[in-house]
Amino acid sequence: MAVSLIDFGIQEALQQLGIELHNKGTSTGSTWYSSEEEITSFSPVDGKLIAEVESTSIDDYEKVIETAAEAYKLWRVQPAPLRGDIVRQFGEALRKLKEPLGKLVSYEMGKSYQEGLGEVQEMIDICDFAVGLSRQLHGFTMHSERPGHRMYEQYHPLGIVGIISAFNFPVAVWAWNTALAWICGDVCVWKPSEKTPLCGIACQHIIAKVLRDNQLPEGISCLINGNYKVGEMMTTDKRIPLISATGSTRMGKIVAATVGQRLGKSLLELGGNNAIIVTPDADIKMTVIGAVFGAVGTAGQRCTSTRRLIIHEDVYDAVKNAVVDAYKQLKIGNPLDENNHVGPLIDTDAVNGYKNALQKVVDQGGNIIVEGGVLSGDGYESGCYVKPAIAEANNSFEIVQHETFAPVLYLLKYSGSVENAIDIQNGVAQGLSSAIMTNNLREAELFLSHVGSDCGIANVNIGTSGAEIGGAFGGEKETGGGRESGSDAWKVYMRRQTNTINYTTELPLAQGIKFDL
Ligand code: UN1
């Protein structure tokens, strides 16, 4: 049965968000400019064409940057707590629109409605976090080696921050960046994924109203649309001191090289190849929940998705059987229907990537224990619904080393001590998220120590996905090294300045240098 938009309240949600399907509006801040080229968005839920959005032309892009630069002059002189108040109001607007926006995320991206709501909650959480931070933004003071001198450091805004985000978190990752950048005094230009442009337009409507209500220019938040060519306009643009990019490692390498070429800053949040280590002391019931949600949540399309389970040989069969049993309970289908656990992949290209991975794991000597496959027929007309699959494999397989954005879980066996499992866990190019399931304090602490997990995120007795916004989010190695969201991630959105003030009538030089005139 095809999805009925009315049954799932999509039409109503769009109305509440003030947008329409087949949105013809174009690019950005203060005015909606128009151009020739269009990008189209198909819902993976029912395969329908749901948006045609005009792509930003070079001329439009220039207007956008001018609009943003103009807005920056006004924004940077607002006191930070006042900027925080705007972010507070944005958070309030999101609270009111949580359900319709969560629904749109679910419909355009394909994640479950619950996860769509969770994503909007992450936006609200980062707004709250940023509001508090707007009264902090503190630097250090230090003692000068010279008498009668004072030294301190302070943080100033950067200017225009460019945000390039991915389809899998079509709204939250923008908010992580933008809420912090705004309180720091920056203005933002956002290029959402060309696979989820309607989510971008919905967010733009929400913030534009907040800015309008406060007589502030919409240029504080600009939206541009398009494919990598529009991204390239941003990465090569010297007027954008910081580019924050989320996506594949392949994309990140191009962004880093281009931004690095002009000595700009980049904040990269790229691919993961996340593992859960299951030791003989693990609580198997907890392991199953963490592993299954990690592997099939968002249909395996989170950068934090669990891709590898590294299981000790003593508990291998017990864990394997429990996970396989849990997979039998999974319901796959329309993500707006809350009875389903797993929604579709984003598009048929992703389905091909999934099929390819399953073929490769067999070719490379793996053993499929939960069969995959593409679903067809009633309710699966989009061709994007796939069965979560499990394969017994080896960490050295080329396909296991690769991040496949789909629900494919690899089981890897280890023997001996936990160090062996940590070696396997670290034995990939990526370094985003990791977890250990154990009740053994020694194993847990070793895993968290400097000789333990080499990832940006390391958890004990929870899965690899579902991080809270309060911690810094990001990873090492080919994950790109960037940190977004909580902790002191705000510092990347500001420039640091060291100030030395002499309040005497002498001018002594540092390092005791004598220079008498
Ligand atoms: C992403 O997949 O790009 O930790 C972000 C998580 C979410 C964010 C994921 N809070 O799974």
Side-chain angles (χ1 to χ4, degrees), residues 311 315-325 367 369 392 411:
I311 311 166
V315 286
Y316 186 84
D317 286 337
V319 174
K320 169 176 146 181
N321 294 336
V323 172
V324 169
D325 274 351
N367 174 32
I369 55 169
E392 294 179 299
L411 303 193

Side-chain angles (χ1 to χ4, degrees), residues 122 168-169 173 176 246 269 301-304 464-467 473:
E122 281 202 46
N168 64 336
F169 273 78
V173 171
W176 291 355
T246 307
E269 203 259 282
Q301 299 170 106
R302 291 192 186 210
C303 52
T304 52
T464 58
S465 67
F473 183 92

Side-chain angles (χ1 to χ4, degrees), residues 129 180 267 471-473 483-493:
F129 180 85
L180 295 188
L267 193 181
F473 183 92
R483 292 295 185 278
E484 294 174 306
S485 123
S487 184
D488 67 351
W490 60 270
K491 288 183 177 169
V492 75
Y493 302 92

Side-chain angles (χ1 to χ4, degrees), residues 233-254:
M233 294 180 204
M234 302 168 84
T235 53
T236 52
D237 191 340
K238 283 190 177 151
R239 293 166 296 181
I240 305 187
L242 171 67
I243 297 283
S244 171
T246 307
S248 66
T249 294
R250 200 183 68 82
M251 176 280 288
K253 285 182 178 168
I254 298 169

Side-chain angles (χ1 to χ4, degrees), residues 78-87 131 133-137 183:
Q78 310 296 316
L82 199 142
R83 298 193 296 252
D85 189 55
I86 301 300
V87 172
V131 175
L133 204 55
S134 71
R135 289 187 182 269
Q136 300 181 56
L137 305 179
I183 58 118

